[in-house]
Amino acid sequence: MAAYRRVVHAETGRELVPRARWCDSFGSKLRGFMLQRALAPDEGLVLVQPAESRVNSAIHMLFVFFDLGVLWVDDAGQVVDQVLARRWRLHYAPRSPARYVVEAHPDILSRVQVGDRIEFR
């Protein structure tokens, strides 16, 4: 059974993703949103890496049929980078090391900026 968390903007308390699938195993991270046909506005996932890294927190969009708003978050909960990830693109990597990758509806990018803090509840 999959675990879920809420992604919350720490400074405002505003809920960014009400139900984000917590992906901390190799298989769940590999699968991500591949082959899923649609994304609901309140849906997302959090890819959890064992430690902060630029390489390990890089993502691909192969076999993803919709664009995603992506946030890279460090151990302190600070957003270190963000991008609108386009479907079927080969590679996206953060500018700074990150431990968590939040993938959600592209609208998330209008509610969070680099430097903001987020929490997983």
Side-chain angles (χ1 to χ4, degrees):
M1 175 172 231
Y4 291 87
R5 304 276 165 81
R6 293 182 310 128
V7 180
V8 177
H9 192 279
E11 287 87 5
T12 65
R14 184 175 182 188
E15 196 169 65
L16 299 170
V17 185
R19 188 170 158 87
R21 189 166 22 115
W22 192 255
C23 301
D24 57 358
S25 70
F26 176 78
S28 64
K29 289 185 280 189
L30 179 65
R31 170 68 190 216
F33 282 125
M34 285 194 318
L35 303 175
Q36 185 171 316
R37 293 294 175 176
L39 178 69
D42 62 345
E43 186 178 9
L45 55 84
V46 179
L47 307 173
V48 183
Q49 303 305 327
E52 288 184 357
S53 169
R54 286 190 67 230
V55 173
N56 291 340
S57 61
I59 63 166
H60 72 83
M61 293 291 287
L62 300 176
F63 302 101
V64 179
F65 297 101
F66 42 84
D67 297 344
L68 291 170
V70 178
L71 308 175
W72 282 276
V73 182
D74 66 13
D75 275 327
Q78 184 174 19
V79 177
V80 296
D81 203 359
Q82 65 180 27
V83 71
L84 175 62
R86 301 287 184 177
R87 58 185 150 191
W88 287 95
R89 295 289 160 49
L90 184 58
H91 181 260
Y92 290 95
R95 289 182 239 160
S96 300
R99 178 155 185 213
Y100 306 97
V101 183
V102 178
E103 297 182 354
H105 191 277
D107 289 348
I108 196 170
L109 299 177
S110 66
R111 296 179 281 153
V112 180
Q113 296 179 357
V114 172
D116 289 356
R117 279 190 351 93
I118 65 169
E119 297 174 348
F120 306 108
R121 297 181 185 168

